[in-house]
Each structure stands twice: as C-alpha cells, then as structure tokens.
Amino acid sequence: MANKKVFLYVGYFTDKFTKYEAYSDTDITGLHADEFVITCAGYPGYFKYDYAPEEKGGLPTPDSEKERLDRLNFYMNKQVELAVRIIRLTGKTVWFGFPQPPRPTKTITIEEYKKYITAFLDIAATLKLKINGYNKDYYYNYVQGFYMNDEHVRRHTFSTGNGIDDPYGVNTDVNHLRNHPQIHMYSEVSKALKTAAYGWKKLLWAPYMGYGNNYDTTMIDIAYIANTTDIFDTVLLQPHHYFFYEENGQEDVKKNLAVVRNSLNRQEVRRRTNSGNTDTRVVAKKSSTIIGCQMEIDESYFNEKLKHYAACRQKFPDYLEAFSGSKVTSPANRVFSFYCDQRFNGWEDAQKEVNDFFDTL
C-alpha cells in the first residue's frame, strides 16, 4: 500500500507568545494516514542566542540561554505528548521534527554548523528519554525517525544558472557535497541517528523544488543529495506551488508539479529546463533514498475572508490532478504526504480533502 504521511504542528508558531492549537482525538483518528510527522514551523527561538558583549566573553547570556532552553523543552514536551496520544489512539508510527536551523548572519562554515549538529543530537537523545518515560517500547517500535526541518540548501555563487540566493550561503560543489557545511550537518546527524545509541532511526527531508531565477540550482542540489547519498532515507519533494501566490513566475512554478511527479515515478530526483522539459536527468540514482511528494492545504482554502482564498481554491486542484490516477506509476509503492498547517476552524473540511485524496491511493 501507498505510504501516507500527515504533518502536525506543535510548540510555538511565530514567537514565544503564540502556541499552536492542540489537536483533538477526533482530529487525529479521523485522518487516513499511516504515519504522523510532528514538527514546528520556522520559529527561530529554539536555537536563538543573545550574546554578551565581547568584553564579557561573547557567550550566551544566562537569562537568554534559560529562556531558549525553556522554549525548546516546551516544544519537545509537546512533541512527546502528541506522539504518545497518536500511538495510543491509532497504533500508527510517528516522526519527530527537529527545529529549523536559523539562517546564518555571516558566510556559513563547518564550525558554524557544529553547534547545530550537537544540538540536533541532543534533541534526539532527549526525545528518546522523554518518550521512554511513558513506555520504553514507544521509541523503538513507533518512532520511525526524525524530520530535518530545513527546506533549502543555501548558496552564494552558482555552478549553473543565474539569480540571487541567500547572500550568507556558500558555493555548492556537487562533486564534494559534504564540503558544504549545511549538507555536512545533515550527514553527521544522519550517521549518528543510524546507530544503536539513537535506536537506528531514519532521517526525513522535505525540500522545495525552487522557483524564480534559482530553480535550476535548487533542483540540482536536491538531486545530488537524494540521488547520490544516503543521508536521507526519504525525501518528500515540495513543488513550492500552493503558497506561491504572486502572479509573476507562477506558471514556471506550476511546472514543478510535473517535475515532482516525474521524480516520484522514476524514484530519481529530476529537474526542468528553460525549454520546458520537466523530466531531465541531473545525475543517475545510486542511493537507496525513497522519493515521495508533499502536498499542501491550509485555512486559506476554506476561509473566503483570507487574502489568498481565491488563489488557493484555484491551485489546490492542480495537486489532485498532478498526483492522481494513472499519472503516478505504481502508486501503491509510493510515499505521499500532506502539510496542513496549524489546526484552524474548519479543520474537519481539510481533513476530508486529505482523506478523499488518500482514499484514492
């Protein structure tokens, strides 16, 4: 059968005063999912430090460090609480989401990312300990792995294409991927998770496929990571379509749906070209990484008072059309996932849309 994942969100939303609304038992049991990914959005406060002046050592201040740890502990507790509820209510498996690494404030280096490697592994160890506090079998039998909540490899210079990416990134040399500090961080976390100390857990990634002037390099980076390394056990490709509301470039982004579908069918990440080809090889697949897709739906699809209501009503059917019926070869052997954003009024309607699609697989 097809593997069906749903992303559920806990912790802090945009700042330390805004928390995600809790899911009811019916919210959980009513989803026709096989697995649940418990994570957060791009809230920066879990890894954010306030540093003292250089004359005082430049170290994190005690108050800010305590606040950061309190926020992080709150997030981890919410993950474990929801995981335990899911396991007890459904008997389904779960993934824990790492907080998103903060964007660098200077050109990133391996040293810059070493603290994140340590932080991610500390989080994994703490979550293991916390869920063992409920039942030691939960972690080993019901936790599939961890989700790397980082959707884009940052570049500064381009090996191909043109455009402007993150000015604090570095060049991505596809022949020496692990020289890129961000990819090195992914690799080190992945290697550690796949040991007895962490319970031989998997690593999941959901990168977006790129848009605008840098879509080509974005797809190239994803292809080399997914096709030539075993850093990630599963890569869920986002078309970066549903939330791209701007008219300019929208047609280009729409082509990403075809790229995702072709990658899903071939089990090899592909790319598109300026000539319109959406099934171009980047590099031959030699990894065991599973290629899946991520679909999206949120409150904007249901609430006509919201700014992007009309655009979402128009574009959501594109997902259904792209990944339905015979267009996906061997759908029973593929991985599909849904990002549903935070719980909102009308969640039941979103649940129905997700279930209606999942039931076709």
Side-chain angles (χ1 to χ4, degrees), residues 94-149:
V94 300
W95 299 74
F96 286 130
F98 289 123
Q100 187 179 47
R103 287 186 176 274
T105 56
K106 59 178 186 259
T107 301
I108 55 177
T109 64
I110 294 294
E111 293 299 318
E112 175 84 5
Y113 266 110
K114 278 185 178 178
K115 62 185 177 184
Y116 301 134
I117 295 169
T118 302
F120 287 138
L121 297 178
D122 285 347
I123 290 168
T126 302
L127 286 168
K128 176 182 175 183
L129 180 65
K130 286 178 180 289
I131 204 166
N132 283 350
Y134 287 88
N135 185 320
K136 66 179 181 180
D137 293 333
Y138 283 173
Y139 181 81
Y140 291 99
N141 295 335
Y142 291 97
V143 177
Q144 286 278 12
F146 291 81
Y147 164 57
M148 178 57 69
N149 190 355

Side-chain angles (χ1 to χ4, degrees), residues 33-295:
D34 302 310
E35 297 179 349
F36 296 85
V37 182
I38 306 169
T39 187
C40 60
Y43 170 68
Y46 300 125
F47 286 147
K48 184 177 181 180
Y49 293 89
D50 292 327
Y51 289 93
E54 287 187 9
E55 61 270 19
K56 294 186 179 181
L59 298 174
T61 62
D63 287 342
S64 66
E65 176 70 355
K66 181 181 183 301
E67 289 175 359
R68 183 189 71 82
L69 291 175
D70 285 346
R71 294 192 293 265
L72 186 56
N73 195 52
F74 172 80
Y75 170 57
M76 291 191 290
N77 285 339
K78 288 300 180 183
Q79 283 196 95
V80 171
E81 288 173 11
L82 183 55
V84 169
R85 287 178 61 214
I86 289 170
I87 293 165
R88 290 177 174 173
L89 286 168
T90 70
K92 303 290 179 62
T93 51
V94 300
W95 299 74
F96 286 130
F98 289 123
Q100 187 179 47
R103 287 186 176 274
T105 56
K106 59 178 186 259
T107 301
I108 55 177
T109 64
I110 294 294
E111 293 299 318
E112 175 84 5
Y113 266 110
K114 278 185 178 178
K115 62 185 177 184
Y116 301 134
I117 295 169
T118 302
F120 287 138
L121 297 178
D122 285 347
I123 290 168
T126 302
L127 286 168
K128 176 182 175 183
L129 180 65
K130 286 178 180 289
I131 204 166
N132 283 350
Y134 287 88
N135 185 320
K136 66 179 181 180
D137 293 333
Y138 283 173
Y139 181 81
Y140 291 99
N141 295 335
Y142 291 97
V143 177
Q144 286 278 12
F146 291 81
Y147 164 57
M148 178 57 69
N149 190 355
D150 202 11
E151 300 177 355
H152 176 63
V153 175
R154 285 171 280 279
R155 281 174 171 262
H156 180 56
T157 56
F158 291 82
S159 58
T160 61
N162 53 50
I164 300 173
D165 203 341
D166 190 319
Y168 302 116
V170 296
N171 182 57
T172 296
D173 180 352
V174 295
N175 294 310
H176 301 90
L177 283 177
R178 288 178 176 82
N179 288 349
H180 188 293
Q182 189 178 354
I183 300 171
H184 172 79
M185 180 264 289
Y186 297 160
S187 180
E188 292 300 300
V189 171
S190 177
K191 285 190 294 186
L193 291 178
K194 295 174 175 60
T195 63
Y198 294 94
W200 303 100
K201 296 306 176 186
K202 299 176 181 178
L203 192 60
L204 173 70
W205 192 35
Y208 66 80
M209 292 297 283
Y211 63 99
N213 289 329
N214 72 334
Y215 76 85
D216 49 358
T217 50
T218 300
M219 292 181 183
I220 290 169
D221 293 342
I222 297 169
Y224 271 91
I225 294 169
N227 294 347
T228 71
T229 81
D230 287 305
I231 293 174
F232 297 102
D233 297 87
T234 300
V235 171
L236 304 172
L237 300 176
Q238 298 184 45
H240 200 80
H241 170 67
Y242 182 65
F243 291 119
F244 194 76
Y245 305 113
E246 291 79 6
E247 291 298 324
N248 185 29
Q250 204 172 94
E251 286 305 309
D252 280 343
V253 176
K254 187 172 181 179
K255 296 172 186 175
N256 287 2
L257 282 166
V259 179
V260 174
R261 183 179 61 244
N262 291 328
S263 302
L264 187 71
N265 286 340
R266 294 184 181 276
Q267 284 300 293
E268 174 184 297
V269 175
R270 312 290 276 192
R271 64 170 294 198
R272 62 183 172 92
T273 64
N274 288 332
S275 64
N277 189 317
T278 59
D279 193 16
T280 298
R281 168 169 276 178
V282 177
V283 60
K285 181 85 174 301
K286 63 179 183 180
S287 71
S288 59
T289 302
I290 297 168
I291 308 301
C293 68
Q294 186 163 62
M295 305 167 72

Side-chain angles (χ1 to χ4, degrees), residues 309-321:
Y309 171 78
C312 292
R313 297 296 296 190
Q314 179 183 358
K315 289 185 280 187
F316 179 74
D318 292 343
Y319 275 113
L320 306 184
E321 194 272 337

